[in-house]
Amino acid sequence: MHTVHTTPAVTTSARKTRDLSADLLIIPVFENDTLADESELDAATGGEYSAARQRREFSGKPFEQMMLPIAGAGWASTRAFFVGAGPREQSTTTVLRRIATMGGLAARQRRLATIAIAARPLEGVSNSAALQALIEGAVLANYEGTSYKTGGQPAVFLDRVEIRIPDVAAAALERGRVLGEYTNAARELSNEPGNVLTPRAFAERASKIAKDAGLDVEVLDEKQIAALNMGLLLGVARGSDQPPRVIVLRHEPKNAAKGVVLAFVGKGITFDTGGISIKPSDNMDKMKDDMSGGAAVLCAMAALSRLKAPVRCIGVIPATENMPGGRAMKPGDILTSAEGKTVEVLNTDAEGRLILGDALWYARKLGATHLVDVATLTGACVVALGRTTSGLFGRPDSWVERVQRASDRAGDRSWPMPIFDDYKDLLKSEIADFTNTGGRAGGAISAALFIKEFVGDLPWVHMDIAGTAWCEDPKPYQPKGATGVAVRTLAELALDVDAWSNLK
Ligand code: BES
Ligand code: MN
Ligand code: ZN
């Protein structure tokens, strides 16, 4: 396997544009914008910059690109890469993050290893937030999808990133670096094929990542899972020769906010065939990423541990394959959850909600006060919101809104969906407490209502990332493959320091 991501050395400076020294000087350009040191920069490009703007070859529209050689005497960089940033007054950290990723990817494609970004202060975005987003974006560019190809030229990675921005705290730099790094770590895990990343291998990789980040780790094996009566998880795992695992992570800082224990629960299906209700062959290979929620929980926990989030956090990741087989659960089977509730399995492909049910119960047992679960849960969510936005479900609204704000800061788009009780009839069973499927109409909502049966009275948010965990239609700032969605959302949530002192 080839190196899939590395972390560049990152520095900040307040140098003049001409003194920024890199193989590629990245210059964000807003529509109707005047650049810093614009006349000098224009002269250094032989007047090409202003000429291109005049003939509207380059107008600053979002993600336009233009590369120009710098020939001016006394300039430390040799190439300028202008990236359109759209209207200045509408700019957000999401735009900045994407510009940095585009610049970093453009450099790597040209086998250039150092970049500098000539950022300027933006109204409505603090310099610290801007710096964090730019660094995240640059680190995200340093990701190469896992490759098992033999031979070939090794990819070039960025080894140095300089960001020109005034008055920022070192904490923002560190945050950006760590959040970028662990987003890449999650992408690496999600890209791994199912035969490599079995539940046991996932648990081993998780233990290493967690220990390196200073977390406490405990891995429950099939015997311990059975002792806890996790009948839903065991029901899903029955069809597989690979034994299940539950990965439990703990972050317990000394300065923790009193009375708050955040619990993050992530779906860890290392491969989803659908089981006896088997999926069609077309695109079934993509179901190797069905553990992306688990990877997000793991990597967010690692990041928030490194960044010393001042709140107690627990991560619970139920990991298993969903396979057909002689012992596999069958449609019509009844399973009993660890909490004691009974479920009629009408479709073995609705396995995610089953394993989450037992895992959420376990998180409560471990003392959680606030729950967030993340899962590639339903095709219906992809139909509802497409491939750019994750679905948010939960209660109370204040908790859902808090998670949504964290996802905005993170650049993970998400949007709230309803969970009115009226939908509950969809899960009615003749012989058990409820079924595991609610039909096609409102499929993402009935899945959320199933999960809600296992969260007790706690504030809870369910994030359905079925559409957002994998990118099939690449963008200049988002290559094909796993996206690492939700890593930064969960970490941002835990790092929202003020929130934990005045929690409602
Ligand atoms: N892992 C899938 C959901 C999924 C579908 C993720 C497409 C990414 C892309 C999940 O386990 C599943 O199979 N869900 C079923 C539920 C149905 C049987 C009620 C679905 O959405 O079709
Ligand atoms: Mn499934
Ligand atoms: Zn699944």
Side-chain angles (χ1 to χ4, degrees):
M1 194 181 72
H2 298 153
T3 316
V4 290
H5 52 95
T6 68
T7 305
V10 187
T11 54
T12 59
S13 76
R15 296 204 268 188
K16 292 191 65 142
T17 313
R18 66 186 304 142
D19 296 325
L20 293 169
S21 163
D23 296 330
L24 197 63
L25 174 58
I26 296 156
I27 303 172
V29 185
F30 299 97
E31 290 171 30
N32 311 315
D33 195 12
T34 307
L35 302 178
D37 312 313
E38 177 158 324
S39 54
E40 269 188 58
L41 178 64
D42 189 41
T45 63
E48 285 293 332
Y49 174 72
S50 55
R53 285 217 76 151
Q54 239 151 44
R55 58 173 188 270
R56 309 209 123 258
E57 174 188 342
F58 184 87
S59 57
K61 292 224 165 57
F63 314 121
E64 264 181 344
Q65 345 185 344
M66 181 172 66
M67 176 92 67
L68 291 176
I70 298 179
W75 281 69
S77 296
T78 51
R79 298 172 195 79
F81 187 62
F82 299 89
V83 185
R88 187 181 188 100
E89 59 285 359
Q90 288 170 26
S91 205
T92 58
T93 51
T94 297
V95 173
L96 297 178
R97 190 183 294 99
R98 289 175 175 180
I99 286 174
T101 303
M102 276 179 70
L105 288 171
R108 292 187 51 218
Q109 272 153 19
R110 290 164 177 83
R111 309 193 72 74
L112 306 174
T114 64
I115 61 171
I117 305 179
R120 283 160 294 148
L122 264 182
E123 234 170 88
V125 178
S126 75
N127 286 348
S128 294
L131 174 69
Q132 183 188 329
L134 287 165
I135 296 177
E136 284 171 11
V139 175
L140 291 173
N142 238 11
Y143 177 84
E144 186 75 20
T146 319
S147 172
Y148 288 88
K149 290 185 199 227
T150 58
Q153 254 196 341
V156 169
F157 289 95
L158 302 177
D159 57 33
R160 192 160 58 75
V161 175
E162 176 178 352
I163 297 183
R164 191 269 305 281
I165 195 156
D167 314 321
V168 274
L173 187 152
E174 180 67 359
R175 245 194 212 205
R177 202 179 53 73
V178 169
L179 292 179
E181 222 172 86
Y182 280 109
T183 307
N184 285 343
R187 293 162 87 185
E188 178 181 354
L189 288 167
S190 295
N191 274 340
E192 286 289 17
N195 66 335
V196 172
L197 202 80
T198 60
R200 275 180 295 186
F202 189 13
E204 275 161 29
R205 302 259 290 254
S207 299
K208 174 153 192 344
I209 290 172
K211 279 181 197 149
D212 288 351
L215 291 165
D216 281 341
V217 200
E218 189 187 350
V219 175
L220 308 184
D221 65 15
E222 62 274 32
K223 290 205 190 81
Q224 293 163 295
I225 294 169
L228 287 164
N229 296 317
M230 293 190 173
L232 303 184
L233 173 57
L234 289 170
V236 175
R238 279 179 67 82
S240 172
D241 285 346
Q242 298 288 341
R245 293 288 181 265
V246 175
I247 304 159
V248 183
L249 311 162
R250 287 187 181 82
H251 168 71
E252 289 181 350
K254 295 217 170 58
N255 60 340
K258 298 251 176 317
V260 186
V261 181
L262 290 183
F264 300 146
V265 177
K267 172 176 173 181
I269 296 288
T270 61
F271 195 85
D272 183 11
T273 65
I276 296 298
S277 315
I278 199 159
K279 290 179 180 296
S281 314
D282 272 4
N283 296 320
M284 198 207 271
D285 55 295
K286 290 285 137 46
M287 285 298 131
K288 69 178 184 179
D289 83 343
D290 212 19
M291 33 54 70
S292 296
V297 166
L298 165 66
C299 293
M301 288 289 296
L304 68 87
S305 168
R306 287 226 190 246
L307 295 171
K308 305 194 173 13
V311 59
R312 291 177 65 197
C313 299
I314 307 174
V316 180
I317 305 165
T320 175
E321 293 185 327
N322 184 25
M323 296 285 284
R327 285 158 34 87
M329 63 175 178
K330 303 168 292 297
D333 282 2
I334 303 291
L335 302 177
T336 303
S337 71
E339 187 170 358
K341 293 183 175 178
T342 57
V343 178
E344 182 184 12
V345 176
L346 289 184
N347 189 320
T348 65
D349 198 8
E351 84 297 341
R353 62 198 76 181
L354 294 173
I355 69 170
L356 289 170
D358 277 341
L360 282 158
W361 166 82
Y362 194 56
R364 280 192 288 140
K365 193 172 133 75
L366 296 178
T369 62
H370 292 73
L371 301 167
V372 181
D373 77 79
V374 184
T376 45
L377 204 67
T378 64
C381 191
V382 191
V383 173
L385 294 172
R387 297 191 185 278
T388 54
T389 308
S390 306
L392 293 185
F393 308 75
R395 56 97 210 275
D397 288 347
S398 58
W399 182 235
V400 180
E401 283 157 16
R402 180 156 280 162
V403 175
Q404 193 184 5
R405 283 199 300 274
S407 92
D408 285 344
R409 290 196 295 282
D412 290 331
R413 293 200 190 286
S414 70
W415 204 256
M417 301 274 283
I419 49 164
F420 302 118
D421 276 344
D422 310 47
Y423 291 102
K424 260 177 98 171
D425 285 351
L426 295 171
L427 296 174
K428 258 202 180 128
S429 166
E430 300 276 320
I431 67 165
D433 292 338
F434 34 84
T435 68
N436 76 328
T437 42
R440 278 169 59 82
I445 297 169
S446 51
L449 282 173
F450 180 98
I451 292 172
K452 185 164 176 271
E453 293 288 344
F454 298 92
V455 299
D457 295 329
L458 295 183
W460 152 76
V461 170
H462 156 60
M463 190 169 181
D464 192 333
I465 58 168
T468 48
W470 189 270
C471 169
E472 204 43 46
D473 175 24
K475 303 273 189 309
Y477 48 82
Q478 178 68 67
K480 241 180 163 170
T483 60
V485 68
V487 172
R488 298 192 305 277
T489 295
L490 297 180
E492 286 283 356
L493 183 66
L495 289 164
D496 189 1
V497 182
D498 295 340
W500 309 126
S501 41
N502 56 14
L503 199 68
K504 270 195 294 198

